[in-house]
Amino acid sequence: MNPQNVTADILLQLPSWLKRFMAEEQTPLHTAEERMQLAIRLAQLNIEHRTGGPFGAAVFNMETGELVSAGVNLVIPSNCSMAHAEMIAISSAQQKLENFDLGAAGLPHLELVSSTEPCAMCVGALPWSGIRHLVCGARHEDARAIGFDEGPKHPRWVEELKHRGISVDSDICRSGAIEVLQYYSKHEGFIYNARQG
Ligand SMILES: [Zn+2]
């Protein structure tokens, strides 16, 4: 432990390649499949740049198809177990829009697209984020198949989110999302669950 870090501010540093990705002009993506392909590409780039785990996520404006923010898993480089791709994408959108509530009046309806369905922590965070819609690629069991622990999710989590006004689309480009998980398993293989729970 670095004693100077004891009172450090909490700062999540985005990889430079991700900043470049966001700075490049991204044309609106009008279908769920196109948006999922972007999230899967983020997961693949995160592996290739060795900046974290095989998960990508993005927030889109549902009305225009424009990309609002992008996130990747940054648990290892940021020493932060909360730095899942979904949390990074949502936090970035909240900073960009200067609002902790992505469902606030005056904002467009926003959706979160995640290359793998969210874990217990991220599912729990969604109702507080203000997000209106969730799009998932690979399933919980696809992540578990390569060793990741998705945590104790409510068995009817999709229905629970719907009760909170968040609709869910599952299995969008699932096979492509699984390919990235398996690529990581073959080429990196480091599974960073702190504990099994
Ligand atoms: Zn998560």
Side-chain angles (χ1 to χ4, degrees), residues 1-9 79:
M1 184 180 76
N2 179 347
Q4 292 183 336
N5 283 344
V6 170
T7 57
D9 292 330
N79 291 317

Side-chain angles (χ1 to χ4, degrees), residues 73 81-82 84-87 117-123 150:
N73 180 289
S81 62
M82 294 183 289
H84 288 191
E86 299 95 323
M87 298 295 92
E117 69 180 40
C119 72
M121 173 183 72
C122 294
V123 167
E150 295 287 280

Side-chain angles (χ1 to χ4, degrees), residues 49-97:
H49 288 280
R50 296 180 172 271
T51 40
F55 304 102
V59 172
F60 286 93
N61 180 326
M62 293 177 71
E63 290 146 31
T64 64
E66 288 168 312
L67 178 65
V68 176
S69 67
V72 290
N73 180 289
L74 298 173
V75 167
I76 294 171
S78 60
N79 291 317
C80 179
S81 62
M82 294 183 289
H84 288 191
E86 299 95 323
M87 298 295 92
I88 300 297
I90 285 172
S91 301
S92 295
Q94 290 167 336
Q95 296 301 305
K96 184 172 180 177
L97 299 172

